Amino acid sequence: MIEKFFPELKAWAESFVLSHGYTALFILSFTESIIQPVPPYPFVAVAPVFKLNPYTAGLVAFAGNILGAMVAFFLARLLGEGFVKRLFKERLYTKGEALFNRYGFFAVLIGEPYKLMCWLAGIFNMPFLSFMIASFIARALRIGLFVFFGDALSRFLN
């Protein structure tokens, strides 16, 4: 789907990961939790194609996602609701707000885009520990699934 809207960005991300490996994956994961649209998960799934270990790639993506989530959470508190509404546009903000208000903790577990959930958790004053627990669970499950596919691909290629 990202190819339709941002073909140059997708191509750049692929080149970035190919050139800089785990560092690029960390940066993509970190910034994906805050603002940018390229998810790290496909890179974890095809890690062996980029000459990366899928388990290490998963750990790097997980660390980047979690650290980026913390930044988005605290930026939301610092910059306020008006900024977040402008950032995500009123329609997406309203949808995220409804999801967050209805499900709270579980919105962080199931909500997408994850970056929106991170910002909303900060705006709606979700307790930081609850936010982190939900984020750890959600990202571990999601990234773990892609690590599984990366491991299967690694076995297939070898």
Side-chain angles (χ1 to χ4, degrees), residues 50-108:
F50 290 99
K51 308 287 188 260
L52 303 174
N53 177 292
Y55 293 97
T56 305
L59 184 60
V60 167
F62 177 77
N65 256 181
I66 294 299
L67 290 172
M70 289 179 189
V71 169
F73 180 90
F74 287 113
L75 278 176
R77 288 194 172 175
L78 178 69
L79 300 173
E81 183 177 6
F83 178 83
V84 176
K85 280 185 178 181
R86 285 190 307 277
L87 182 65
F88 288 103
K89 308 294 183 238
E90 187 73 32
R91 184 172 160 264
L92 186 57
Y93 179 91
T94 303
K95 281 184 169 184
E97 181 179 29
L99 179 70
F100 200 90
N101 285 336
R102 183 169 183 182
Y103 297 107
F105 176 87
F106 295 100
V108 177

Side-chain angles (χ1 to χ4, degrees), residues 9-63:
L9 185 58
K10 178 188 172 273
W12 172 83
E14 288 173 353
S15 172
F16 188 44
V17 172
L18 190 57
S19 299
H20 301 287
Y22 297 115
T23 302
L25 185 57
F26 178 85
I27 292 169
L28 286 173
S29 300
F30 179 83
T31 57
E32 189 265 339
S33 293
I34 301 169
I35 189 65
Q36 67 90 5
V38 178
Y41 318 116
F43 296 105
V44 173
V46 297
V49 173
F50 290 99
K51 308 287 188 260
L52 303 174
N53 177 292
Y55 293 97
T56 305
L59 184 60
V60 167
F62 177 77

